[in-house]
Amino acid sequence: MEEKLHTARTLVGRLRGAAAAHDWSATADAVAEIRLATKSDPEIRAPLADAGAVPFLAAQLTSSSAAMVDAAAALLNISISAREQLMSTPGLLDALTAALRSDSGAAHHAAATVHSLLCVEPHRAAAVARRPLLAALVALVSAAPNTRAVKDALKALFGVALHPPNRAVLVGLGVVRPLFALVMVDGRAGVVEDATAVVAQVAGCAESLDAFRWINGIRILLDLLEPDAANTPRTRENAAAALLNLVVAGGERAVAEVVAVGGAEEAVREFAEEATVSPRGKAKAEALLRALEEGGAAARRRDNNHRLADFLNGLVLSDPYISSPASASTHG
């Protein structure tokens, strides 16, 4: 490891010297060399962080230099082995926000880096204080520049939404509409699966109900339960998880909204009884169906819904599926 640290110090020394001399060509070459090293040698990532590479790479994200893309990719690779060093670097999240907003190819690397950092649970709580970062992720999903950028942004949003207080913030930033837009018009199965996974997480807050209502989201989710060729098993299960989370978080009002959609109980029942649905998917659908049946019975009895409230209080939010996280091997 001493040899790795020596190599890391040499690489960082070149970058430091070029940046200090305002030699942008040499700076770009030094950043490209660090990117290559972090891709080809996983063992040098932590030594590079220890040698002070992170602040110099982050500085490239706030410039219009040609090194921006290489710097973003290098930070992603380093984050896999040195998440704490990245999170403790002043200004790093601001630099990633700038990269997310850029028109360069750095945006998807930046989104993947955010996702990597949020693999550490305490980091998710810190995200709620970074509204510009969250807004930039939402904007990237809305713009949908390419498949890789969208999928990386969705994974980052998924990580953000794993922390319950972040869900209402994302709803307030307008994440629901672009998520459902991807579900409705994007033909890429992997994108739709990941979009529904984020929808299911975001559904786990009371604020999501009105946002879903405005765009007919409940009807869309019920349609996704259908055994259509375009609806993959994971997409269908994520839709069931989203509906379950919606009623758990939204309570009696959410149950009433779902029941009010024509054919809701029948669609959920058919999904729960389908032989090809996984045991995990069946469990979600069965819990949702019981909530809908109890809600419908309460409405017919015109009682005070105490039984429904007690039932909902006994449910827990459901975890959706999302595809494997980005890695240095896929980003380079």
Side-chain angles (χ1 to χ4, degrees), residues 102 126 133 167-168 181 189 219 292 316 328:
S102 72
L133 175 66
R167 296 166 188 164
R219 175 76 270 171
L292 300 183
V316 296

Side-chain angles (χ1 to χ4, degrees), residues 68-135:
M68 179 184 286
V69 175
D70 285 336
L75 284 169
L76 167 61
N77 297 342
I78 293 172
S79 75
I80 297 169
S81 303
R83 293 185 175 96
E84 293 300 331
Q85 287 97 321
L86 265 72
M87 283 298 291
S88 63
T89 300
L92 175 74
L93 295 181
D94 293 334
L96 290 172
T97 301
L100 287 169
R101 291 172 171 165
S102 72
D103 294 329
S104 71
H108 72 88
H109 294 306
T113 303
V114 173
H115 177 266
S116 175
L117 295 175
L118 295 180
C119 289
V120 180
E121 187 172 352
H123 296 172
R124 299 170 194 156
V128 73
R130 299 287 180 168
R131 292 179 70 93
L133 175 66
L134 303 186

Side-chain angles (χ1 to χ4, degrees), residues 1-331:
M1 287 305 294
E2 187 63 34
E3 180 182 349
K4 301 288 185 186
L5 185 56
H6 174 73
T7 301
R9 286 171 176 164
T10 300
L11 290 170
V12 175
R14 290 175 189 162
L15 175 55
R16 181 188 296 111
H22 302 291
D23 186 335
W24 308 128
S25 177
T27 297
D29 289 343
V31 172
E33 195 172 3
I34 289 175
R35 174 184 181 175
L36 180 61
T38 60
K39 179 182 180 180
S40 60
D41 186 2
E43 292 183 356
I44 205 169
R45 296 169 187 163
L48 278 167
D50 292 337
V54 175
F56 291 102
L57 293 171
Q60 300 304 312
L61 301 186
T62 58
S63 69
S64 58
S65 70
M68 179 184 286
V69 175
D70 285 336
L75 284 169
L76 167 61
N77 297 342
I78 293 172
S79 75
I80 297 169
S81 303
R83 293 185 175 96
E84 293 300 331
Q85 287 97 321
L86 265 72
M87 283 298 291
S88 63
T89 300
L92 175 74
L93 295 181
D94 293 334
L96 290 172
T97 301
L100 287 169
R101 291 172 171 165
S102 72
D103 294 329
S104 71
H108 72 88
H109 294 306
T113 303
V114 173
H115 177 266
S116 175
L117 295 175
L118 295 180
C119 289
V120 180
E121 187 172 352
H123 296 172
R124 299 170 194 156
V128 73
R130 299 287 180 168
R131 292 179 70 93
L133 175 66
L134 303 186
L137 288 170
V138 173
L140 187 57
V141 169
S142 300
N146 56 68
T147 300
R148 175 176 282 186
V150 171
K151 286 180 68 67
D152 287 333
L154 288 171
K155 291 182 180 69
L157 287 170
F158 184 85
V160 171
L162 284 173
H163 185 61
N166 289 345
R167 296 166 188 164
V169 176
L170 290 175
V171 172
L173 290 171
V175 75
V176 172
R177 183 176 294 277
L179 287 175
F180 275 99
L182 288 176
V183 172
M184 291 297 293
V185 304
D186 198 297
R188 298 165 290 188
V191 171
V192 176
E193 287 179 352
D194 287 353
T196 54
V198 182
V199 167
Q201 286 289 9
V202 171
C205 69
E207 293 81 358
S208 65
L209 179 58
D210 286 334
F212 281 37
R213 285 179 66 249
W214 275 107
I215 57 171
N216 207 22
I218 294 173
R219 175 76 270 171
I220 294 170
L221 292 172
L222 288 168
D223 287 344
L224 289 177
L225 296 180
E226 298 294 331
D228 185 275
N231 299 335
T232 68
R234 286 192 173 185
T235 294
R236 298 176 70 202
E237 184 169 326
N238 286 344
L243 289 165
L244 178 59
N245 290 347
L246 193 69
V247 301
V248 172
E252 299 165 17
R253 179 167 164 253
V255 172
E257 291 286 351
V258 178
V259 170
V261 177
E265 289 185 48
E266 181 181 358
V268 176
R269 183 178 293 106
E270 289 179 355
F271 178 77
E273 294 174 351
E274 191 175 318
T276 58
V277 175
S278 71
R280 173 176 162 139
K282 286 181 181 292
K284 295 173 183 177
E286 289 166 357
L288 174 61
L289 183 60
R290 289 196 298 274
L292 300 183
E293 290 174 340
E294 184 61 36
R300 290 189 293 272
R301 293 193 305 266
R302 300 181 183 276
D303 62 16
N304 56 11
N305 287 359
H306 284 323
R307 285 175 54 185
L308 174 58
D310 290 342
F311 176 76
L312 292 174
N313 287 336
L315 295 176
V316 296
L317 295 178
S318 178
D319 294 327
Y321 283 108
I322 195 164
S323 57
S324 300
S327 66
S329 62
T330 59
H331 282 256

